[in-house]
Amino acid sequence: MLTRIDHIGIACFDLDATVEFYRATYGFEVFHTEVNEEQGVREAMLKINDTSDGGSSYLQLLEPIREDSTVAKWLAKNGEGVHHIAFGTADVDGDAEQIRGKGVRVLYDEPRRGSMGSRITFLHPKDCHGVLTELVTSAPVESSAH
């Protein structure tokens, strides 16, 4: 089942300025950046700490790259701020099905590609007390040994 808070997603208008705020204010450094065309965002993952299950916890900063993206629409309505919370799991497929069985709407029929090669799905915020909730199975960690 769910093992940790994987990340908190924060929607922003200017990714570079927001990264600089978190670096200058809290000392958080960028662990990973990417553009996710499917989600329509440019993102930065700021690593907060490692967790006891071998994963990590992050802040995910999200800047829309097109007006029709979910994050762009959310920003237009709500302004900058917390967009979602993501929980880590070893089995996004199984946990999504189990949660669906409890009457919570799962937004994707099949998990999609997320940050850093992860597999993700979302739960409907109206079924989660107003919180957009993401389930994440991290990509396997590749060994640096050759």
Side-chain angles (χ1 to χ4, degrees):
M1 193 59 172
L2 308 179
T3 59
R4 69 183 180 286
I5 295 175
D6 186 87
H7 66 270
I8 307 282
I10 299 172
C12 61
F13 292 111
D14 182 332
L15 184 66
D16 297 327
T18 306
V19 164
E20 179 54 24
F21 168 81
Y22 281 97
R23 189 202 61 70
T25 305
Y26 305 116
F28 298 151
E29 296 295 337
V30 173
F31 180 79
H32 176 82
T33 61
E34 70 180 83
V35 172
N36 185 321
E37 294 289 342
E38 181 181 4
Q39 301 287 329
V41 296
R42 184 168 76 105
E43 65 179 81
M45 298 293 277
L46 285 62
K47 188 173 183 179
I48 307 305
N49 66 316
D50 292 315
T51 61
S52 62
D53 68 353
S56 298
S57 293
Y58 303 90
L59 285 181
Q60 178 187 46
L61 307 179
L62 300 160
E63 175 190 66
I65 57 171
R66 55 177 201 267
E67 294 298 316
D68 68 339
S69 73
T70 303
V71 171
K73 293 174 186 175
W74 190 90
L75 276 167
K77 180 179 178 182
N78 301 292
E80 293 184 309
V82 175
H83 180 261
H84 66 274
I85 186 168
F87 294 108
T89 173
D91 181 10
V92 68
D93 300 270
D95 285 343
E97 281 307 309
Q98 184 178 30
I99 291 168
R100 180 181 278 124
K102 295 177 181 181
V104 175
R105 287 174 281 181
V106 178
L107 299 182
Y108 303 150
D109 290 332
E110 295 290 326
R112 296 182 182 178
R113 183 194 167 283
S115 301
M116 300 184 289
S118 64
R119 296 184 69 241
I120 66 166
T121 195
F122 286 91
L123 309 178
H124 200 292
K126 288 184 178 178
D127 297 341
C128 300
H129 298 274
V131 178
L132 180 61
T133 304
E134 181 179 4
L135 304 180
V136 179
T137 296
S138 300
V141 177
E142 295 185 22
S143 171
S144 59
H146 295 293

